[in-house]
Amino acid sequence: GIQVEQSPPDLILQEGANSTLRCNFSDSVNNLQWFHQNPWGQLINLFYIPSGTKQNGRLSATTVATERYSLLYISSSQTTDSGVYFCAPKLDSGSRLTFGEGTQLTVNP
Amino acid sequence: KAGVTQTPRYLIKTRGQQVTLSCSPISGHRSVSWYQQTPGQGLQFLFEYFSETQRNKGNFPGRFSGRQFSNSRSEMNVSTLELGDSALYLCASSFAGPYEQYFGPGTRLTVT
């Protein structure tokens, strides 16, 4: 099956700093989503981005499908950005998402 | 529009028992997928249901099963519970095809 690697595994920032999270995947995909898992475990949708670039406030994402990677940018980080960020590409026509191991982000005040 | 709902939110069971978890998708969504999250294995796909049919299945033993009803609500069942089944079980719904999936809050199962 598809392999998904996220880096870095852990990231500690001061409030106001910027960061880039990376997701590499081993096969061509027809969908890719980024999620933020809150402390209660719910996965919050950040981006649905099979290709190209999207922005939503302080967050933006870029997927280069031909080179099999996606990036999540967080600017002017806030303590509420803390948590685990997952990328999840989808390979086939069904709905199976394959998750990476996530990046644990800690933003200190 | 209401989000994906899952019941119960928390559950404690004893080894050897069985358990049924429920998931109600977003209105209009016909695809429901289930995932298991554990500290050791991360987030793993269990199965997907679409129009009451299992369309895709992950690498889990037959003790894990599911079904979908005509209103797209889905249940998953785990029989003969083992300690290793302790996990957060997440359900996601979407329209058919390569569309964005939305997750429910999860059911946290503890097996003692």
Side-chain angles (χ1 to χ4, degrees), chain B residues 16-88:
Chain B
Q17 289 185 315
Q18 71 151 8
V19 66
T20 300
L21 312 182
S22 180
C23 172
S24 292
I26 291 171
S27 178
H29 286 186
R30 294 171 63 194
S31 171
V32 174
S33 300
W34 289 89
Y35 295 82
Q36 181 198 64
Q37 185 176 27
T38 60
Q41 299 298 317
L43 271 155
Q44 294 186 290
F45 173 81
L46 279 156
F47 29 64
E48 178 205 356
Y49 284 87
F50 175 75
S51 291
E52 303 177 62
T53 302
Q54 187 180 88
R55 186 159 70 169
N56 217 336
K57 186 173 176 11
N59 188 25
F60 278 82
R63 300 186 296 106
F64 291 82
S65 62
R67 59 178 176 168
Q68 186 180 34
F69 302 94
S70 58
N71 62 357
S72 295
R73 189 177 71 84
S74 177
E75 290 181 347
M76 68 163 281
N77 184 78
V78 188
S79 62
T80 320
L81 284 165
E82 300 177 0
L83 297 179
D85 297 332
S86 295
L88 178 66

Side-chain angles (χ1 to χ4, degrees), chain A residues 32-75:
Chain A
L32 186 141
Q33 291 186 241
W34 281 95
F35 298 93
H36 176 211
Q37 188 164 40
N38 68 21
W40 298 272
Q42 181 154 12
L43 290 170
I44 308 300
N45 288 41
L46 297 178
F47 292 100
Y48 165 73
I49 184 165
S51 63
T53 297
K54 291 187 177 180
Q55 180 151 10
N56 184 4
R58 297 181 297 103
L59 274 60
S60 64
T62 295
T63 296
V64 183
T66 54
E67 296 187 21
R68 300 181 183 172
Y69 73 88
S70 183
L71 302 173
L72 178 69
Y73 306 94
I74 304 174
S75 65

Side-chain angles (χ1 to χ4, degrees), chain A residues 6 80 105 107:
Chain A
Q6 289 189 242
T80 52
L105 174 65
V107 181

